[in-house]
Amino acid sequence: MPLKLLFSKQGQKLSGMRFDDYHISFEVKKNLAKLGFTKPTDIQFKSIPPILKGEDVLAIAQTGTGKTAAFAIPVIDIIHRKKTTSRADGIKCLVMVPTRELAEQIHGVFEKLSKHTKVKAFSIYGGVEQDKQIVRLQESLDVLIATPGRMFDLVSQGHLNLSRVDILILDEADHMLDLGFVKDIYDIKKKLPRTHQTLFFSATINEQIKKLAYSLVKNAIRIQISPKDPVSKNVNHSVAFIEMDDKRFFLERMVKEHPDSKILVFVRTKVRAERVAKAMERVGIQSVTIHGDKEQKDRFDVMNRFKSGEVKILIATDVSARGIDIPNVEYVVNYDLPEQAENYVHRVGRTGRGREKGFAVAFCSTEEIPMLKEIETFLGKPISVVDMDKNEYQDTLDFTEDVDNNWKDLIKENEAFLSTLKKPNKGKKGKR
Ligand code: AMP
């Protein structure tokens, strides 16, 4: 069945709507105001009313569109209104997510939006001790955000009871499929009460995701945000043709020319992440890296340093950074093009979040051109090219403070100099 898109004009007509006009609890409104959220984003405008009515929702929306609050606002409101006791009464809403970072991030949004309400949220994920999580699960808890592995462990050990859940949220369902959690998603349905509301969120859509979605939701309200252009309209993205060995000089220049900006740099592998960080260090640029090889504690630490702005450059691989909400990232640099075209959308979605504007640039080497073509096919249109002539390109190479590069230049100059010396020598030889 094709997805019927609700990308309607309704949104435009009522875009003047403010959170103050919503029939939601006073406490939630106050929390929204404190966060500076006055008007709903598109996805919030379309999702909040049906969720409040108890309907299933199937939403295709990229990160950065405000989708977390799109489900958190109505869920908190529903639970807050219904709750009559502060005693532990069982978990009412389960949010399943693909990664630990996303679990923490969604937990943070729930905490902020549920202040002064009766709603309590908590997150569980692997890679950290489970004892503390078990203790917390025994206390009063309404919303649980979980990654599949740790959740099933705790269910099977009898620490986690899901029999009172009446709202199931699957966030970044496409990423869960990529990570092989499809069976877990089907399994979780069996552990929940027969009737419950399901909210299915995915950044991208394909046949497999549609099949999964329709097996989970009933008569869902379908919502798609910007179906024609998967990249948020807040992001100005382009591609610059730069050879592999020169990329670090362009990054150096970008960073030095934007010393106050937060820049998120994507690379293909963890080895490359470390290598780029070293290259930046050599030219006096402090950066941090995040990738699968890092301990959970380090990963949170790195994220916090970058979030707070203590370090302005974060170098990341796709898996580690997907779905992560970092405030005020001005630039995303696709230092390496992603191997999977759809990751391009996730990467550039790290900037231009909510109602902010953002910039993204991809460094594309000659050998990466086929990947660029794939990305453009995925996007359904070409990416605009950064205008750069030979002189500008060379200026950037000259701009570097990299001693290694200076050495290279010196060696080159030296070779050139030697070759000019050799010629007359040969000449002399001939004369003898
Ligand atoms: P998300 O797509 O849930 O990761 O949210 C992306 C960003 O948008 C976050 O930094 C939110 O704080 C911000 N945001 C969400 N809703 C709103 C809103 N109604 N007004 C302004 N910013 C928002």
Side-chain angles (χ1 to χ4, degrees):
M1 193 201 313
L3 267 187
K4 186 180 152 227
L5 312 181
L6 284 192
F7 188 63
S8 62
K9 296 207 174 72
Q10 273 177 26
Q12 287 156 23
K13 237 194 294 174
L14 294 174
S15 63
M17 184 125 170
R18 302 170 70 83
F19 282 123
D20 281 344
D21 307 325
Y22 277 70
H23 291 290
I24 49 175
S25 322
F26 163 74
E27 290 83 351
V28 178
K29 284 187 183 175
K30 222 168 118 183
N31 293 332
L32 286 164
K34 232 179 165 176
L35 289 174
F37 295 5
T38 49
K39 288 183 193 165
T41 63
D42 240 17
I43 181 79
Q44 291 161 3
F45 176 76
K46 287 171 186 159
S47 314
I48 295 174
I51 298 176
L52 285 173
K53 275 196 222 149
E55 300 195 68
D56 280 6
V57 164
L58 196 171
I60 307 302
Q62 314 83 49
T63 46
T65 52
K67 69 188 167 68
T68 316
F71 58 76
I73 295 169
V75 162
I76 293 168
D77 190 63
I78 292 169
I79 300 174
H80 178 63
R81 283 168 192 270
K82 276 195 193 158
K83 205 171 168 184
T84 50
T85 170
S86 56
R87 275 185 297 111
D89 187 30
I91 293 162
K92 296 292 178 303
C93 169
L94 173 67
V95 188
M96 255 177 105
V97 296
T99 63
R100 307 151 188 186
E101 283 86 0
L102 190 58
E104 274 288 311
Q105 183 183 307
I106 294 177
H107 182 193
V109 174
F110 269 95
E111 293 242 289
K112 286 186 193 133
L113 289 175
S114 64
K115 266 191 201 143
H116 312 299
T117 70
K118 295 176 212 143
V119 181
K120 299 217 163 36
F122 184 59
S123 57
I124 56 169
Y125 40 80
V128 292
E129 261 184 54
Q130 63 169 37
D131 293 0
K132 278 193 202 147
Q133 298 180 344
I134 293 169
V135 172
R136 183 64 188 86
L137 287 175
Q138 281 151 3
E139 296 163 8
S140 170
L141 187 60
D142 307 290
V143 179
L144 181 71
I145 303 115
T147 54
R150 179 58 56 94
M151 180 177 67
F152 282 107
D153 281 354
L154 294 176
V155 169
S156 66
Q157 294 168 32
H159 297 299
L160 178 55
N161 180 348
L162 298 173
S163 64
R164 307 293 304 273
V165 169
D166 38 39
I167 307 175
L168 170 68
I169 303 175
L170 294 162
D171 194 19
E172 300 220 342
D174 49 348
H175 196 194
M176 287 212 248
L177 288 190
D178 288 348
L179 295 177
F181 291 141
V182 62
K183 184 171 176 303
D184 294 326
I185 298 175
Y186 286 116
D187 285 352
I188 196 66
K189 278 296 238 198
K190 295 180 205 146
K191 305 238 177 274
L192 306 185
R194 279 224 349 228
T195 50
H196 59 258
Q197 185 179 8
T198 302
L199 314 176
F200 185 102
F201 285 80
S202 177
T204 52
I205 184 91
N206 59 30
E207 281 308 315
Q208 199 194 5
I209 292 162
K210 267 192 233 175
K211 198 172 141 227
L212 175 71
Y214 285 113
S215 70
L216 300 175
V217 297
K218 274 194 218 119
N219 303 322
I221 300 295
R222 295 175 295 258
I223 298 168
Q224 184 155 353
I225 299 298
S226 309
K228 292 220 176 70
D229 188 353
V231 175
S232 156
K233 53 185 179 300
N234 293 353
V235 183
N236 180 337
H237 62 118
S238 50
V239 58
F241 291 100
I242 300 172
E243 289 316 323
M244 206 49 109
D245 286 345
D246 300 334
K247 288 184 177 186
R248 61 202 166 111
F249 307 122
F250 280 82
L251 181 61
E252 175 188 353
R253 183 162 188 176
M254 240 188 110
V255 173
K256 288 185 174 162
E257 287 186 349
H258 301 92
D260 299 322
S261 300
K262 258 192 212 170
I263 304 182
L264 178 53
V265 181
F266 280 99
V267 291
R268 222 173 29 247
T269 64
K270 33 202 174 196
V271 175
R272 300 251 316 145
E274 293 303 330
R275 203 176 287 160
V276 176
K278 282 261 150 51
M280 290 303 107
E281 197 183 316
R282 278 204 302 274
V283 293
I285 294 171
Q286 194 196 5
S287 64
V288 280
T289 59
I290 184 163
H291 49 68
D293 265 4
K294 294 226 155 174
E295 293 280 317
Q296 189 58 47
K297 199 186 142 301
D298 286 347
R299 284 160 67 163
F300 284 138
D301 187 47
V302 158
M303 291 304 290
N304 288 337
R305 290 178 68 200
F306 185 61
K307 275 186 183 170
S308 71
E310 182 199 326
V311 180
K312 294 258 182 324
I313 319 298
L314 174 64
I315 304 168
T317 54
D318 285 302
V319 174
S320 61
R322 192 140 153 202
I324 297 306
D325 179 32
I326 307 163
N328 315 320
V329 172
E330 279 99 335
Y331 289 91
V332 164
V333 178
N334 284 299
Y335 193 89
D336 296 324
L337 291 196
E339 268 164 353
Q340 280 179 330
E342 65 185 57
N343 278 345
Y344 180 84
V345 175
H346 298 301
R347 288 175 173 197
V348 301
R350 310 293 94 217
T351 179
R353 300 176 76 75
R355 291 173 167 268
E356 289 169 11
K357 290 256 169 277
F359 295 90
V361 62
F363 291 176
C364 180
S365 66
T366 309
E367 52 273 48
E368 288 172 308
I369 288 174
M371 285 186 213
L372 176 67
K373 295 279 166 257
E374 258 179 53
I375 294 167
E376 290 181 331
T377 308
F378 181 80
L379 298 178
K381 58 179 180 188
I383 301 174
S384 61
V385 176
V386 175
D387 250 347
M388 183 166 39
D389 63 26
K390 271 190 185 152
N391 292 338
E392 284 168 301
Y393 193 106
Q394 188 56 44
D395 280 352
T396 305
L397 304 192
D398 296 340
F399 175 93
T400 186
E401 289 172 29
D402 192 332
V403 182
D404 274 5
N405 194 54
N406 293 345
W407 269 112
K408 260 199 241 158
D409 283 348
L410 284 180
I411 293 168
K412 263 193 230 152
E413 273 171 31
N414 197 32
E415 279 168 357
F417 177 68
L418 287 177
S419 68
T420 57
L421 288 182
K422 275 180 195 156
K423 280 172 200 153
N425 277 348
K426 269 183 196 162
K428 270 184 205 162
K429 237 185 186 175
K431 271 186 189 164
R432 270 187 207 158

